[in-house]
Amino acid sequence: MAAISQGIEATTALFLANSNKFLFSSCGSSLSEKKRNFFVVKSDGKSYSGLNQQQRRAQKVVTNAIATKKDKAPSSTASKPGHELLLFEALREGLEEEMDRDPCVCVMGEDVGHYGGSYKVTKGLAEKYGDLRVLDTPIAENSFTGMGIGAAMSGLRPIVEGMNMGFLLLAFNQISNNCGMLHYTSGGQFKIPIVIRGPGGVGRQLGAEHSQRLESYFQSIPGIQMVACSTAYNAKGLMKAAIRSENPVILFEHVLLYNLKERIPDEEYVLNLEEAEMVRPGEHVTILTYSRMRYHVMQAAKTLVNKGYDPEVIDIRSLKPFDLYTIGNSVKKTHRVLIVEECMRTGGIGASLTAAITENFHDYLDAPIVCLSSQDVPTPYSGTLEEWTVVQPAQIVAAVEQLCQLLR
């Protein structure tokens, strides 16, 4: 609790010194007022407002943290006008729109300010919003994560960036004992509307410490939601939904997906934090995946189609909780399940997903669930050995063939 107390004090001093009236009167303003202006807070405590650039776009604002099915924008945008963005640019656009919309939204982390973040997700935001809404912190993950949680308890909506997800292990106590549990342990007196995000996953020869997949670490923490983006479209939609959520959300971004380009709508949209995406409908086998493995699965799907198989591919996106409605309907149709993940095999997302499917849909399965995961070894620096530790498309093809041949 010391880090939380320090976080509340530091945040209060930081955001409210010389601008007390501004910040919380702005946080209580109406949505229409927030849409008209954005707010800049400089390090000297001075503030000013400017016209919202998003006003030029036709908007349909979803005010809830989670969009309803009828409000959800369609997954396919190829036939609609829009603009092309790289995934990291889509994250930035979603973040910028929310900072324009709500003056309580702020960003903190190492090098997020004038440097623009380690992967440029926050590039240009410090110049636009000021040093106190885009706050550079020391290299002290436990301290600035605690400060972010304190800020959320005080009424702000902070986004905490870990320069690398592996570094957030230093803040595990704050994330588990404070971020996930304070709403419960305070008897509902505090909400923790915080987003914790950053790059992770196996990169290209980044070494063991920088190739962490922390989904398995955080999934057991009560009170925390987890989502993983895989395209520019869902990166922006999930970012906006996470910021609007009243729950603490961990947003996992894969280091090798930042430069993927996609056309996304000009209109504002917010995705459902608890909904999976049907990537490819099929009949023979359900393949459940997320993040970077989505692309390995789709590469394997081309080979499988040529061999006469019809796989159904689902990007689960919500790592906690699972969208058992979408998953269950697919299992009832195909009766076979293959899980493909980059997470570790022992105690990973695949293990939890296997348990959930077995408990809820066992009677619909015609074959054992197969789970392809990374090997339980530190990720080697050698590029060749690194590839051997994670699932490759050829393994996915072989697993589907084995599953489908069980009933022949």
Side-chain angles (χ1 to χ4, degrees), residues 139-327:
I139 303 175
E141 285 77 9
N142 60 336
S143 297
F144 68 73
T145 302
M147 183 172 71
I149 296 168
M153 295 171 66
S154 301
L156 301 179
R157 290 186 176 272
I159 296 96
V160 173
E161 176 180 321
M163 183 181 289
N164 182 282
M165 273 294 187
F167 302 161
L168 289 178
L169 289 175
L170 296 169
F172 194 86
N173 177 63
Q174 282 74 19
I175 295 172
S176 59
N177 286 327
N178 302 139
C179 183
M181 300 184 188
L182 270 173
H183 179 66
Y184 172 78
T185 56
S186 69
Q189 296 180 72
F190 294 111
K191 293 180 180 178
I192 317 293
I194 187 173
V195 179
I196 299 174
R197 53 156 295 269
V202 177
R204 291 191 174 94
Q205 295 184 266
L206 297 180
E209 296 90 346
H210 288 198
S211 301
Q212 297 274 28
R213 289 131 289 175
L214 298 189
E215 307 96 287
S216 59
Y217 290 68
F218 293 131
Q219 68 172 328
S220 62
I221 300 175
I224 285 182
Q225 286 186 267
M226 304 195 311
V227 291
C229 60
S230 55
T231 67
Y233 176 81
N234 66 38
K236 178 182 176 180
L238 291 174
M239 170 69 87
K240 291 171 70 67
I243 293 172
R244 298 186 189 192
S245 176
E246 297 297 331
N247 299 316
V249 179
I250 301 179
L251 174 59
F252 292 94
E253 306 156 13
H254 200 288
V255 67
L256 293 183
L257 300 184
Y258 279 127
N259 289 321
L260 289 180
K261 183 177 286 188
E262 185 183 15
R263 182 171 294 277
I264 68 173
D266 290 329
E267 297 79 13
E268 184 176 19
Y269 63 94
V270 182
L271 295 182
N272 192 325
L273 284 177
E274 301 178 8
E275 191 171 88
E277 177 187 352
M278 179 65 68
V279 181
R280 183 191 187 279
E283 298 290 338
H284 293 162
V285 60
T286 297
I287 304 180
L288 304 174
T289 189
Y290 65 93
S291 192
R292 178 196 177 197
M293 287 294 112
R294 167 177 175 151
Y295 297 94
H296 281 210
V297 168
M298 291 308 293
Q299 185 178 340
K302 295 178 181 179
T303 303
L304 290 167
V305 169
N306 291 335
K307 292 188 173 188
Y309 298 101
D310 187 17
E312 180 154 289
V313 179
I314 296 175
D315 184 341
I316 62 173
R317 289 199 311 211
S318 176
L319 308 184
K320 183 183 179 183
F322 297 130
D323 179 6
L324 293 179
Y325 177 82
T326 301
I327 293 170

Side-chain angles (χ1 to χ4, degrees), residues 336-389:
R336 304 173 187 86
V337 177
L338 171 63
I339 300 169
V340 181
E341 62 174 347
E342 195 180 82
C343 196
M344 299 300 187
R345 182 170 185 82
T346 302
I349 296 296
S352 298
L353 196 51
T354 299
I357 295 171
T358 301
E359 290 174 1
N360 292 278
F361 309 110
H362 179 267
D363 290 344
Y364 296 95
L365 294 172
D366 289 341
I369 299 172
V370 176
C371 183
L372 299 179
S373 311
S374 293
Q375 297 184 37
D376 289 334
V377 297
T379 304
Y381 176 75
S382 165
T384 302
L385 293 177
E386 182 183 70
E387 285 190 6
W388 277 92
T389 66

Side-chain angles (χ1 to χ4, degrees), residues 38 50-57 59 96 100 128:
F38 63 82
L51 291 177
N52 186 348
Q53 295 179 357
Q54 298 306 124
Q55 196 173 24
R56 295 196 300 264
R57 294 181 179 172
Q59 295 189 21
E96 188 172 1
D100 283 347
K128 181 176 180 180

